[in-house]
Amino acid sequence: MTDSHASRTDRAESDNFLPNLCAPQAVLVLVLVAELLSLLLAMINRGLAHLTWDAVALYSFQVQWIVLVSAVLLCRLQPSLNRWPAVRAGAVSYGLVLLVTLVFSLLGQWLMQGFLGAPWSLNLWQLAENLLSAAILAGIGLRYLYLQQQLRNQQQAELNARIQALQSRIRPHFLFNSLNSIASLIATAPDRAERAVEDLASLFRASLAEPALIPLARELELCQGYLAMEQLRLGDRLRVDWHLEALPESTMIPALLLQPLLENAVFHGIEPRPEGGDIQIQIARSGMQLAIRIDNPLPATGHTSERPSNKMALNNVRHRLQAHFGQAARLSETRDGGRFTLIITYPLE
């Protein structure tokens, strides 16, 4: 899934008129609600003292068909409902449920009378009762589903805005150093300078893209390009050790989640040390979660980076993880044995 495809999917889902009633969880809820409604109707019409499982089964058969067929038709109409004004979409949805109720009420009368061997005759009172019940229940149900989806749309829009605001803060501080390194390479190593320009362009293109989950392989490609640019400046002082477990191509990660952390590792762990140091990056699956570990040396006592240490990058990453994955995501940090270690975990979807 590309950035643009992911962002288009997010926008499409955030503009839905009704929830996706054909999703497995939604279908299960509809079946349970229809069964409870069947029990209620049977109890009202037969009375609790005369309630039998045969009566419940008869109501259940008809109600389940009406509910599930209506849900399927509303799913098929979802693209059109999303484009129409709310009043028109609501009226069509409401009318569709009543039409399905009418069809299955007539079909139910015909089948029941045929099963009993009685000649066909239309029971208008029963038909009116079914339509009136459907009108009341469909009005309440569709209104609830509409309000629920609008709340979800609003929450999704606020989430996207929050992620966009967090991602917009990512403006790599190494820009001028990278440009100076590129300028020094133009005369002596034009091929390396060209690759560095391409890496820098890719990184800034990603930082300006819409917030989205992107393939892990794409994020790693951006990080490798960033570290390659830093090696132009730091040379052998910067050593990178990758430990990557083979993961499915569908493994996703928030865009530019790792680059700010690697930037911190370079500026606060490698640059202040005259001898440099190594950054170790481990990415592996841990059960149903993805585990990412970034380890770099702490600067020696008395040495500090040119840029004062701050928590902006860590807080930014922590907030973005929570925005995408909620409380299921974790970011922890430890300082031990002269090393600084970050561990990120979040659920694989």
Side-chain angles (χ1 to χ4, degrees), residues 286-300:
S286 177
M288 296 302 294
Q289 291 193 321
L290 186 70
I292 301 171
R293 185 176 185 270
I294 300 176
D295 183 275
N296 60 268
L298 289 168

Side-chain angles (χ1 to χ4, degrees), residues 99-177:
L99 178 61
V100 171
T101 302
L102 175 63
V103 170
F104 278 98
S105 295
L106 293 173
L107 184 61
Q109 288 189 25
W110 179 73
L111 289 175
M112 182 58 66
Q113 293 179 18
F115 178 76
L116 296 176
W120 162 251
S121 63
L122 180 61
N123 188 335
L124 291 177
W125 284 110
Q126 185 181 38
L127 183 62
E129 179 183 321
N130 291 347
L131 288 176
L132 182 59
S133 299
I136 296 172
L137 295 173
I140 296 173
L142 289 173
R143 179 63 177 174
Y144 169 77
L145 292 174
Y146 170 75
L147 293 177
Q148 182 187 53
Q149 184 60 37
Q150 297 313 301
L151 177 60
R152 187 175 301 167
N153 293 346
Q154 181 181 356
Q155 291 173 339
Q156 185 64 45
E158 291 173 353
L159 176 61
N160 289 339
R162 180 184 174 192
I163 297 174
Q164 180 69 68
L166 290 169
Q167 185 167 316
S168 67
R169 299 177 188 175
I170 301 173
R171 296 293 180 264
H173 298 273
F174 62 89
L175 172 60
F176 293 110
N177 286 331

Side-chain angles (χ1 to χ4, degrees), residues 255-275:
L256 284 182
L257 186 79
L258 299 183
Q259 186 277 327
L261 301 179
L262 294 177
E263 184 182 344
N264 266 11
V266 170
F267 273 92
H268 303 308
I270 306 299
E271 190 173 281
R273 301 166 60 92
E275 72 279 15

Side-chain angles (χ1 to χ4, degrees), residues 63-248:
V63 172
Q64 291 285 4
W65 273 104
I66 293 173
V67 169
L68 294 178
V69 170
S70 297
V72 171
L73 293 177
L74 288 172
C75 286
R76 298 295 298 270
L77 277 177
Q78 186 77 283
S80 298
L81 296 176
N82 297 341
R83 292 194 303 268
W84 293 339
V87 174
R88 180 182 179 186
V92 170
S93 302
Y94 189 63
L96 179 64
V97 175
L98 295 183
L99 178 61
V100 171
T101 302
L102 175 63
V103 170
F104 278 98
S105 295
L106 293 173
L107 184 61
Q109 288 189 25
W110 179 73
L111 289 175
M112 182 58 66
Q113 293 179 18
F115 178 76
L116 296 176
W120 162 251
S121 63
L122 180 61
N123 188 335
L124 291 177
W125 284 110
Q126 185 181 38
L127 183 62
E129 179 183 321
N130 291 347
L131 288 176
L132 182 59
S133 299
I136 296 172
L137 295 173
I140 296 173
L142 289 173
R143 179 63 177 174
Y144 169 77
L145 292 174
Y146 170 75
L147 293 177
Q148 182 187 53
Q149 184 60 37
Q150 297 313 301
L151 177 60
R152 187 175 301 167
N153 293 346
Q154 181 181 356
Q155 291 173 339
Q156 185 64 45
E158 291 173 353
L159 176 61
N160 289 339
R162 180 184 174 192
I163 297 174
Q164 180 69 68
L166 290 169
Q167 185 167 316
S168 67
R169 299 177 188 175
I170 301 173
R171 296 293 180 264
H173 298 273
F174 62 89
L175 172 60
F176 293 110
N177 286 331
S178 299
L179 291 176
N180 289 333
S181 298
I182 292 170
S184 66
L185 289 172
I186 290 176
T188 58
D191 292 340
R192 292 177 62 191
E194 182 179 355
R195 286 197 300 272
V197 170
E198 292 174 351
D199 289 336
L200 187 62
S202 297
L203 195 57
F204 271 88
R205 187 180 301 113
S207 72
L208 295 173
E210 294 187 34
L213 293 174
I214 65 172
L216 176 62
R218 173 59 178 158
E219 178 74 4
L220 294 178
E221 181 183 347
L222 291 171
C223 291
Q224 289 165 351
Y226 161 70
L227 292 173
M229 286 188 293
E230 288 291 12
Q231 284 181 320
L232 293 177
R233 184 169 61 90
L234 299 173
D236 294 337
R237 293 172 58 203
L238 172 59
R239 300 178 294 279
V240 183
D241 191 7
W242 295 89
H243 299 275
L244 305 178
E245 180 183 296
L247 294 167

Side-chain angles (χ1 to χ4, degrees), residues 289-339:
Q289 291 193 321
L290 186 70
I292 301 171
R293 185 176 185 270
I294 300 176
D295 183 275
N296 60 268
L298 289 168
T301 304
H303 293 83
T304 58
S305 65
E306 296 179 2
R307 185 177 65 184
S309 177
N310 59 70
K311 296 289 185 178
M312 185 184 72
L314 294 183
N315 290 335
N316 185 300
V317 169
R318 185 175 285 109
H319 292 156
R320 293 176 65 207
L321 283 170
Q322 291 178 353
H324 279 288
F325 305 107
Q327 297 302 316
R330 294 287 185 272
L331 187 153
S332 61
E333 54 184 283
T334 60
R335 290 171 173 82
D336 185 39
R339 305 285 296 186

